[in-house]
Amino acid sequence: MSGSCEIETCSTHTPTVTEIGELLYGYYENATRLTTNFKNLLDNSILNLYYYHHSFDYCHPQFIFDYKGTKGRECYSESICSTMCCNNGDYDFHNIKEKYECHCRFSWLTVNVICEMDNFIFKNRNYSMLFFSTTAAFFLVFTSISRRIINCQKLPSFRATHSPLYKNVYLPGDVILGGFFPVHQPPLLDSVTTTECGSIKKERGIQRLEAMLFALDVVNSKKNKLMSTLLGESNIKFGALIYDSCDYESYAVERAMNILLPNINYCPKIENVDKQNAPVVGVIGSASSVVSMAIADILRLAEIPQISYASTSSELSQKPRFQYFSRVVPPDTYQAEAVVGIIQFLNWTYVAVIKETGSYGERLTDDFKAKLKNKTVCIAGELSVNLKDMDSYARVLKDLHSDEKYKNVKGVVLFAQEDSVRQLLNQTSSHKESKRRFIWIGTDGWGSKTYPVENFGKAAINAFTIAPKLFPIKEFDTYFNLLRPSTNVRNPFFIEYWEQTFKCKFNNTPITIFNENFTRICTDEDSSDPLTSVPYSQEGYVHYVVDAVFALVIAVQKFIIEKCKTKSLCDNFFPVNGTRLLSILRNISYKNDLSQRNIRFTAEGDGIGTYDIFQYQVIDNTGKLGYITIGDFSDNDGTGEHVHIDLQKLKWFNSTEFGVWKITTISPRSYCTEPCRFGEIRTASDSQQCCWTCRKCDVFQIAINETICSSCLKDEMPNANLTKCIKIEEEYLSIKNVIAWPAIILSSIGLIMTLYTIIIFVRFGRTPIIKASGRELCYLLLAGICFCHLCAWPLILKPHIITCFLIRISVSLSLTICLAALLTKTNRLARIFNSTASRSLKQPSCLSPRSQIGLCSGIVSVQLIGVILWIIIAPPSVKQKSEVKHSQRRLIQLVCLAICLSLSATVILICLFAPKLYIVLFNPSKNINYKFKTTLGTSTTTSETNNSIANKEHRSPLQRISNMLNDREKQNSPRSRVPSIDYTEVTMYSKSDSAGLGDEIQMLNGACTDAERRIVPTCYSVPQPQTNSEELAELIPKFVENPWKKIGNVRIKLDSPLQEEYIHAEHVTFLGKLQSSKSHWIKGQIAMRYVVRVYSNTRMSNSAELSAETATVATAHTTHIPVHRQARWGYKDSKFVLNSNGLIEFSGSRYLLSGHVLPRLKEFMFSKLGATTDIYTPSVAEPDPLYRPKPVINESFMQQYLTQLSTMEYSSEVNDRLFHAHGHTLEEIWKLRHGGQFERIPDLVVWPCTHQDIEKLVVLACEHDICLIPFGGGTSVTWALLCPTNEQRMIVSVDTSQMNKILHIDEKNLTARIQAGIIGQDLERELSKKGYCTGHEPDSMEFSSLGGWVATRASGMKKNVYGNIEDLLVHVKIVTPKGTMEKSCLGPRQSTGLDIHHFILGSEGILGIITEVVLKIRPLPQCKKYGSIVFPDFESGVECLREIARLRCAPASIRLLDNEQFVFGQALATDSKGIIHSLMDNIKKLYITKIKGFDVNRMCAATLLFEGLKNDVNQREKFVYDIAQKYNGIPAGEENGLKGYTLTFMIAYLRDIGLDHKVVAESFETSVPWDRVIDLCRNVKRCIVNECLKYGVKYPPFASCRVTQMYDAGCCVYFYFVMNYNNLSADPIDVYEKIEEAARDEVLANGGSLSHHHGIGKIRTKWIRQAVGDLGVGAMLSVKQYLDPKNIFGNKNLIPGDKIAHFQSKL
């Protein structure tokens, strides 16, 4: 007791020395388990009392003690009592005064011990409550022996100095009942400014406190029958001492000390007992189990019985620790059993548990798990929440939604008090994952209370709660509703309750954080005023409070009768024997006539388990929510627990998309694994019995239970459900079997046709056509054909030994006869023609019919001998086979065999005999003798024309070579006709006299442009010298060897007229080298002149066609030349064109669609988009000369450039400058098509080859203030390559295309160091030669560069396996004006502050030039599979992709097309499908639309690509298709997946043909969270349509989207927008820009990002601040300012505020 405290102790009995010693030693043994300080304290004080100061004696009737071994004795009379005081650590006897007739029995040393312990305890308040118990225990060292203690002084006010002030409710009486109620919320423990309790608890606090006062009023007034009968004429008045526990154990213990201390060592006679100082004989409370435990530890020291009205922890049933604790409510063990019963009733097998830390939640969880033993219910996981950690509630919900093990969990059990329940419902109602709702099962901590669900009721709909069975007391309702602040003065908390309830304030109350915002003055009429009144309902535990009070009163009254033999108090009542009172209490049984409830206790002092089961439901159509009692749990007889639920009252509610709650008949399921299907057994997948994997029983096995398969007998098979074995019925083919009909019909038709042919051959056997065909072999062939058709009959008849014999003979011999006849016939014809070709007059042998029959019979006899041996070794027989699984398959196989034999015979018949029959029957004029002449043995001579010698002398050298080689061809060729041959002379330039392997050489018959030089730097032009006769002499001997075999790539450009013809690449042949007397040197290059020969042959298959512009020779590796025509996309030889038939065709040979006609595409363009062939707007051939800006040349820069960088190629030609001035946005292509009207273009183009070249260039640019713009592949779609119109400095475009080498491959670390200018497809091709790949495949990989990928933070189609560019990047080197920036380490991950790689990624050329990149590489995939899935609608497809992303089982690429794009994909079908293929397509379409019911106007499709190890690919493929099936997805085949994937590389070509017919098209992309995908796609497409209407577009636009990449939290969405601007009055590009801008605004408004992988450039800088914020823009500008203070890299990408001059379209 710190500060000052006054303790008076008296006793009527003096303990003996032995008793004192035994008691002290026992307390010491218990206390030594605490802390070292405590142990030292006890050692120094307590043991001294026993071991050194034990010379106690009696001086009757005085108390005598010996201090420190002295023999001096002091005796006090019976009328004197000593007062011991401890003040500031000073201990002494003082103020000895006469008080009562009693003996003082504490020594000075005893008081010293007590005070030291008190000071220690309250200085170390954070220690466990056991310290308080031990303190009190030592205080009772002497008094516990006497067993007679009583308070005889004023009410104490025990309080620690740092504790807040507190109030109590005191009702004077003869017998005082203590009480503890949670009137206030617990204090905010994380607060450092206050330790005050929280807000008022209106239900658990005030109502329950008033219930105790109400019960005492009933007791003292004896109004009801029970109290009237019990108390009778007794004049005993029961009072109360009630404290607010604040639902916090520390404060409750502090208040409990005020009940404990006065009850120690005071023994007044009854006539001296003042009602103001009556003893507390028992305590009612508390509510929380934790608080009740703390109070029980204190009260047991004074043997004060305690009865709780709400504490249910099963730990409180433990005796002897809580020996004096009882309760009228059932313990949690009953709650746990009730919860288990509810779960079993709902047929749930897998639930989650959320527990509140502390005794209540943890003990309930333990009881719940104990009750689940031997039950078929498992716990998915235990999650903990804590009021002291408010973030724990959000974490728990996040785990429930994100953890894989909770994916099928619907039921969540809450073992928590009402405050935790409220916090959890609060988090649930605000949680983003709204589509998935859990069903809560709460205990009595939730019950039917209003507080937990107030304002958060929707989160609790469908929840189950239990609470001890409610027995409302009507009299209490009347009592409570009549309470008013002005009259209810005995409850000091009522005014605070009134203010909180009615949101008002009394004038005389202090201002607190709870009423500071209330301005209205409180009055007594607030509860009756309709404007201020609030609904009232009786709290569920009110009747338990009344039951507890009545029980304690009954026990006290019986104790009084036992002690005093009357109903009135007497001297023997004091001190109260708590043990006896407890025994009486435990044995009472009564019926509360207020609540009509029978009250009794178990042996442990627990109440009997009866619970109501509630469900939180939508009560009416207005959306009102409330608790509905749907059942109960009872164990009144103690024999078992039972759950009863009324199915009529049980309801389930679902929320519609409009937030309306509707009743559903579908009961929710909570499980771990789906039940196995018939014929499957469970295989445990973990330690829990509720989770398993299903395994099919083997063939001819049944599942006799959930875990065992049993095999059927040999003559048995499983039934359809695979649950029992049944006898196998014989199954075989017969004529009656439907599946045999196709074979029978085809066989019959074939027999008829064959017999008809035989008849024709017999009838017209002497006609020339029949005789010339070899009648004998034909008859033998027709016999074989008949046998083939007849084979069908034994195959489909019932198995018999005869049919089996016939099958072996006929099947094996029938085709042998046919093939033998064909072989003999073919051999005969071959020998005849060979004889003719050799001009031999001798006729070949064995040409006679007899010889032919003999040869054919010999071949057939070999097969016949084999069949006979087979029959002898294994005679045919009939056996029954139990192969039910394959029975249908075997029948189909037999039918297919019969059909194949008939079809083979029919094909032979039609191919060989149909032409003959046609001539015989329908064209007999050709079947006459003079049409046929025998040529065998004769030779034909041909005269040849010689050219005049005079003409030869006037021909050019090339003409003479042509004639010479034509003559040679005619002499050497055995054929009479050869293709026309043309010759041309070309000049080839190389750095050496002979080209080496892998060199890329350009051969031109004219001048080469700078654009071509950019691609092939070894190409230069010189005038062609004339070839003279001396050179011809040197040319002829060199025809033998072809040096082009050593050349890697050769490109030929031919003059007209051959320029527009298609030629075979192999027909471009090296003829020889023209040795010239003069050497031609151009920029260090050796000029060599060659002659080539070109076969001009227009009869070529489409598969072998190449444009004359792109003919290649010696294709050691494919070149990407030529590319990027300035006004079009892609390769020059690849484009969509209208062919001569008026259909759209894709030219070239590079793509899957190349060379194919697309018959539906024109109809789609012209019907859907309103395009027409009448309108044709081609691109201009050359840029408009008026729009060729002159270069701005910095002379000093150029002088140093030529001096220091002379080896670096450069150009200032206008075409090269224009080529580097643009990207591929719609606006840029539009400008090029209309003359190239760019206000500013680069002034110079340079081609560096190394990192050092760029370093030198940047240094030079900094010295002369030159603007540098990096150029990679030129595929930008963000205006990134446009030159700023206000740039006055010289602009140099730095083309990195010559930095295209792989510098090093690290096979140990699987990385590759690569120059940044390499093109994507070249990179993959070169890596594949070493067996590796990067896997990065953006749509533009054919033309985009590695540096561009890094600069724009690109993304590839296969990022699910390989990652985006930022995932592949290991190291990057960039040259900035400040120098080269790179990391010093190639570690896979580095924690070195801000990652400079992320400065470079997405920098878009504003910081420097990326020169080298280190990428991760992987071995080439072992297996690659394509696939496709059709979904009924786009929403189902998105849900499927979300599930695949959530489970992280995505294939390398998966892309979902919406319905518009799906329909457009059908328009890209080619015309090369055969009849069977088309038939299968129609069948598939019929199945999907008619049988599956898919709507063609809603269905969509996804294309898939799987890559990796074969087993991994197969497993992932099965997993993906299984998930798709859950969302009604149907596999659509590998072919569609391949087409869909490869179409990505061709889709950009469509814009060009659209522009030719006044149709503009463009795409843009975004990324968006999963929950916004559907809304974004729908709203953006709708926005495009509305904007088109707004700007007067005459034709409906085409707006579509597709999901291209997936992430855990969202996906990438690609939008395509096509618009016909015909008859549009405004500028179409201006209209398009406004529409796209509105669409982009709509994207951002719907939660989409500004860009996913295209980047910002200049086209999107308008939104950059909105995307990254002002601070983000400021950070970027700061980095830019530091690295590039002079703005050398001044393309102005990413920089907001700078507007690029708007395109001015000039048509």
Side-chain angles (χ1 to χ4, degrees), residues 90 232 654 678 790 815 820 926 934 1000 1169 1175 1204 1305 1489:
D90 297 325
N654 273 344
F678 290 116
L790 290 172
L815 281 178
K926 292 185 179 182
T934 302
E1000 188 170 313
L1169 303 175
I1175 299 175
Q1204 301 178 15
I1305 294 179
T1489 57

Side-chain angles (χ1 to χ4, degrees), residues 760-831:
I760 296 299
F761 261 64
V762 173
R763 170 69 177 82
F764 298 95
R766 295 187 178 274
T767 59
I769 194 67
I770 300 298
K771 290 169 65 177
S773 62
R775 288 171 295 180
E776 294 77 10
L777 286 179
C778 286
Y779 287 135
L780 190 60
L781 183 57
L782 289 171
I785 293 173
C786 284
F787 275 122
C788 288
H789 290 302
L790 290 172
C791 285
W793 296 92
L795 287 171
I796 64 176
L797 294 176
K798 182 178 180 180
H800 188 271
I801 189 171
I802 298 175
T803 58
C804 294
F805 179 82
L806 292 175
I807 289 173
R808 288 198 183 180
I809 295 293
S810 60
V811 172
S812 59
L813 286 181
S814 57
L815 281 178
T816 303
I817 295 172
C818 295
L819 297 177
L822 288 174
L823 179 60
T824 305
K825 193 178 185 68
T826 305
N827 176 263
R828 178 175 180 268
L829 293 175
R831 288 187 293 121

Side-chain angles (χ1 to χ4, degrees), residues 252-527:
V253 168
E254 186 177 348
R255 288 139 173 82
M257 295 294 290
N258 294 314
I259 294 177
L260 171 70
L261 298 179
N263 282 24
I264 300 174
N265 303 322
Y266 223 174
C267 46
K269 294 182 180 180
I270 190 64
E271 60 269 16
N272 294 327
V273 175
D274 186 354
K275 289 186 178 181
Q276 294 294 327
N277 302 316
V280 176
V281 298
V283 173
I284 306 297
S286 178
S288 168
S289 295
V290 176
V291 175
S292 291
M293 290 178 190
I295 295 174
D297 285 334
I298 298 298
L299 298 180
R300 67 184 289 271
L301 301 176
E303 298 180 351
I304 301 176
Q306 175 186 357
I307 306 179
S308 175
Y309 49 82
S311 298
T312 59
S313 173
S314 57
E315 190 175 356
L316 288 165
S317 298
Q318 296 179 2
K319 303 299 184 284
R321 179 184 173 188
F322 304 109
Q323 179 181 354
Y324 293 91
F325 177 83
S326 303
R327 51 188 164 195
V328 291
V329 291
D332 288 339
T333 51
Y334 290 109
Q335 289 196 74
E337 185 64 34
V339 171
V340 172
I342 293 172
I343 293 173
Q344 289 182 314
F345 178 84
L346 296 173
N347 290 325
W348 290 353
T349 58
Y350 204 55
V351 295
V353 173
I354 298 178
K355 62 181 179 181
E356 181 181 16
T357 55
S359 176
Y360 180 84
E362 293 173 358
R363 182 64 63 177
L364 256 179
T365 303
D366 293 339
D367 294 338
F368 179 68
K369 290 191 289 187
K371 292 294 182 181
L372 285 183
K373 290 182 178 179
N374 302 322
K375 299 286 196 305
T376 58
V377 180
C378 302
I379 298 177
E382 296 181 28
L383 303 168
S384 298
V385 295
N386 191 341
L387 280 172
K388 300 176 183 179
D389 180 12
M390 301 307 290
D391 293 335
S392 62
Y393 299 92
R395 288 197 302 269
V396 163
L397 282 177
K398 181 180 179 181
D399 290 343
L400 283 176
H401 285 99
S402 61
D403 199 327
E404 183 67 20
K405 66 182 178 181
Y406 300 113
K407 67 176 182 178
N408 294 324
V409 171
K410 196 72 173 177
V412 180
V413 182
L414 300 181
F415 293 128
Q417 295 283 11
E418 61 181 15
D419 297 303
S420 287
V421 173
R422 180 173 177 81
Q423 289 296 331
L424 197 60
L425 294 179
N426 180 14
Q427 292 293 333
T428 302
S429 63
S430 60
H431 200 273
K432 294 181 179 180
E433 186 68 51
S434 59
K435 293 185 178 179
R436 185 179 177 196
R437 300 184 59 85
F438 296 101
I439 297 177
W440 313 104
I441 300 181
T443 52
D444 64 346
W446 183 346
S448 58
K449 302 167 189 172
T450 304
Y451 172 72
V453 297
E454 186 177 2
N455 300 326
F456 312 122
K458 290 185 178 180
I461 293 176
N462 294 327
F464 293 87
T465 63
I466 61 173
K469 203 167 186 64
L470 303 181
F471 299 90
I473 300 176
K474 296 180 180 180
E475 292 81 354
F476 176 78
D477 293 338
T478 304
Y479 162 81
F480 192 82
N481 286 325
L482 292 175
L483 292 176
R484 296 294 183 271
S486 61
T487 57
N488 188 16
V489 295
R490 61 183 181 179
N491 184 356
F493 308 108
F494 193 75
I495 290 178
E496 188 177 353
Y497 160 80
W498 196 269
E499 288 182 340
Q500 293 296 314
T501 302
F502 298 105
K503 311 299 181 186
C504 60
K505 185 183 179 303
F506 290 97
N507 289 326
N508 57 347
T509 56
I511 298 176
T512 66
I513 61 173
F514 306 109
N515 64 10
E516 61 184 357
N517 295 323
F518 301 156
T519 57
R520 190 175 60 83
I521 304 300
C522 297
T523 64
D524 285 352
E525 289 73 29
D526 289 337
S527 61

Side-chain angles (χ1 to χ4, degrees), residues 599-615:
I599 309 299
R600 64 183 179 89
F601 298 91
T602 64
E604 291 79 17
D606 297 327
I608 302 302
T610 57
Y611 293 92
D612 280 327
I613 300 175
F614 304 94
Q615 187 184 29

Side-chain angles (χ1 to χ4, degrees), residues 511-578:
I511 298 176
T512 66
I513 61 173
F514 306 109
N515 64 10
E516 61 184 357
N517 295 323
F518 301 156
T519 57
R520 190 175 60 83
I521 304 300
C522 297
T523 64
D524 285 352
E525 289 73 29
D526 289 337
S527 61
S528 57
D529 189 343
L531 298 177
T532 59
S533 62
V534 295
Y536 158 80
S537 61
Q538 188 178 133
E539 199 271 335
Y541 283 75
V542 163
H543 72 90
Y544 286 109
V545 177
V546 176
D547 292 339
V549 173
F550 283 3
L552 188 55
V553 167
I554 293 171
V556 170
Q557 185 62 39
K558 288 189 177 183
F559 183 75
I560 291 174
I561 294 173
E562 181 181 295
K563 288 290 186 178
C564 302
K565 309 303 180 183
T566 178
K567 293 186 177 181
S568 299
L569 288 175
C570 64
D571 291 341
N572 291 334
F573 179 76
F574 299 106
V576 177
N577 189 333

Side-chain angles (χ1 to χ4, degrees), residues 677-698:
R677 293 173 291 187
F678 290 116
E680 294 180 341
I681 60 173
R682 297 179 180 178
T683 301
S685 59
D686 55 21
S687 58
Q688 297 202 59
Q689 62 177 347
C690 304
C691 300
W692 58 80
T693 56
C694 296
R695 179 179 66 83
K696 286 186 178 181
C697 292
D698 294 337

